[in-house]
């Protein structure tokens, strides 16, 4: 596929992003009756491909945990804003209780500590309003 009409800076950035491949060279003629260098690859099953597609990679897992933590921080901020205006609405407290109940496990120790601190802060806020989880 060829795309035309791109600006010169954009075109140079796109060309720089292309993978670098060595120039084509003709291979030597294959030697007949030579043993293969490696064993043939095992066939890949559909179940294995589905399992690989369903599993989260480390980047996707971090993105999911970051989004979960962001939802929790936003809920705490909205609760704080509501408390400054008076009594917080029940929906804000229910949102925090739901976030606390839906626990995300992080494999990174630093992120796990942050999630635990956020969960503790939410439990303190819920305890202020006599809500126990």
């Amino acid at each position: 596929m060829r795309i035309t009409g791109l600006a010169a800076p954009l075109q140079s950035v796109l060309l720089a992003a292309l993978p670098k491949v060595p120039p084509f060279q003709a291979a030597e003629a294959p030697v007949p009756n030579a043993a293969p260098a490696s064993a043939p690859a095992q066939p890949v099953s559909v179940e294995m491909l589905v399992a690989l597609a369903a599993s989260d990679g480390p980047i996707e897992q971090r993105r999911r945990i970051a989004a979960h933590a962001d939802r929790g921080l936003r809920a705490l901020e909205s609760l704080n804003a509501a408390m400054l205006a008076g009594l917080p609405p029940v929906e804000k407290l229910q949102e925090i209780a739901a976030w606390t109940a839906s626990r995300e496990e992080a494999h990174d120790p630093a992120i796990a500590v942050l999630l635990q601190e956020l969960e503790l802060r939410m439990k303190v806020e819920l305890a202020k309003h006599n809500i126990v989880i």
Side-chain angles (χ1 to χ4, degrees):
M1 182 166 99
R2 189 167 206 44
I3 300 174
T4 59
L6 293 175
L10 181 60
Q11 190 175 19
S12 64
V13 168
L14 290 175
L15 287 175
L18 286 175
K20 307 298 183 233
V21 290
F24 177 77
Q25 295 178 359
E28 294 179 13
V31 178
N33 297 331
S38 63
Q42 295 179 352
V44 178
S45 68
V46 173
E47 292 85 10
M48 185 185 305
L49 292 175
V50 170
L52 283 173
S55 68
D56 284 342
I59 294 173
E60 184 59 35
Q61 184 181 27
R62 278 187 168 193
R63 187 175 296 130
R64 185 176 35 84
I65 290 173
H68 179 69
D70 187 54
R71 281 192 306 274
L73 285 173
R74 288 181 192 272
L76 275 176
E77 287 174 353
S78 66
L79 177 67
N80 186 29
M83 287 178 65
L84 290 174
L87 288 176
V90 176
E91 297 85 27
K92 300 285 183 195
L93 295 171
Q94 288 174 343
E95 181 182 359
I96 287 180
W99 187 93
T100 306
S102 67
R103 173 169 235 166
E104 289 280 338
E105 295 296 325
H107 298 293
D108 186 5
I111 295 174
V113 168
L114 289 173
L115 286 175
Q116 288 172 351
E117 290 177 5
L118 185 59
E119 182 179 1
L120 177 64
R121 182 66 193 151
M122 288 185 166
K123 286 182 178 180
V124 167
E125 291 298 328
L126 291 172
K128 286 180 184 178
H129 298 284
N130 296 326
I131 300 173
V132 180
I133 295 180

